[in-house]
Amino acid sequence: MIHPLSDVQTKNIGDNTSIWQYCVVLKDAVIGSNCNINAHCFIENDVVVGNNVTLKCGVYLWNGTRIADDVFIGPNVTFVNNKRPRSKQHVQTPDTIIHRGASLGAAAVIGGGIEIGAYAMIGMGAVVTKNIPAHALVYGNPARIMGWVDEQGNALIKQEDDAWYSANGNKYRLTENGMEKL
């Protein structure tokens, strides 16, 4: 479903995706299946959005943004794609990559070229200036790791055997890339 009050130029949209009113999607953007793009969103040309992604109102995705499957992006999350902005000048920034299952809380700011690991949870209003490992719970300005979460967003608890456990008994271990399910 594409709302008639939106300007959607791309044909690269998967099945069962909804794009609500007052959105602009440029012609080379790629959007997966079963996505929900809420009102007042903007998606530039060199953007890829996976399947089952939710973009709440007021999210703008700039060139070089890569969103994996099952990602939630809260209202007014701000993505930055130029580390040294100047009028009429654009410095190429590496892609911003949001991995599978990550959740970004309302009004978070994501710096250009940042990578957010799978199932990470970014708190509302967080200012993300560095890469975030898988399953990390981060918030604050600048965002810092405050804990670890499972695939459903529940806290992981460290036990005496140096393993981490979810409420449902799944076991994880901390690696240099974040939490890894065992």
Side-chain angles (χ1 to χ4, degrees):
M1 187 283 301
I2 297 175
H3 196 283
L5 294 177
S6 282
D7 178 6
V8 177
Q9 300 165 16
T10 187
K11 303 292 185 213
N12 300 314
I13 300 173
D15 294 336
N16 300 314
T17 287
S18 295
I19 300 177
W20 294 95
Q21 62 269 39
Y22 313 121
C23 291
V24 175
V25 183
L26 299 184
K27 69 178 178 66
D28 293 327
V30 177
I31 300 173
S33 299
N34 300 311
C35 294
N36 191 20
I37 312 298
N38 285 230
H40 299 281
C41 289
F42 177 81
I43 301 175
E44 212 165 22
N45 277 305
D46 183 22
V47 172
V48 177
V49 176
N51 299 317
N52 306 309
V53 171
T54 297
L55 298 182
K56 297 306 267 185
C57 297
V59 174
Y60 301 161
L61 300 179
W62 308 113
N63 285 335
T65 305
R66 307 289 182 253
I67 311 287
D69 295 346
D70 305 312
V71 168
F72 173 84
I73 300 177
N76 299 308
V77 168
T78 299
F79 288 87
V80 177
N81 73 337
N82 191 337
K83 291 185 176 187
R84 294 179 299 282
R86 293 284 186 241
S87 181
K88 308 282 186 192
Q89 301 173 24
H90 182 78
V91 175
Q92 183 63 37
T93 298
D95 290 350
T96 298
I97 301 170
I98 314 300
H99 288 276
R100 179 185 199 99
S103 292
L104 285 61
V109 177
I110 312 301
I114 296 292
E115 190 166 343
I116 296 178
Y119 303 104
M121 185 170 285
I122 311 302
M124 63 181 177
V127 178
V128 179
T129 60
K130 295 181 180 173
N131 292 343
I132 304 300
H135 293 274
L137 167 65
V138 303
Y139 50 89
N141 180 4
R144 292 184 176 91
I145 297 173
M146 302 297 196
W148 301 94
V149 295
D150 66 9
E151 290 81 355
Q152 290 75 41
N154 300 308
L156 295 176
I157 307 298
K158 188 174 183 181
Q159 300 294 323
E160 291 180 19
D161 63 356
D162 276 342
W164 296 73
Y165 291 88
S166 65
N168 61 10
N170 288 330
K171 187 175 179 179
Y172 298 78
R173 70 177 171 159
L174 187 58
T175 71
E176 64 183 34
N177 297 319
M179 283 292 170
E180 179 180 279
K181 190 174 185 180
L182 300 176

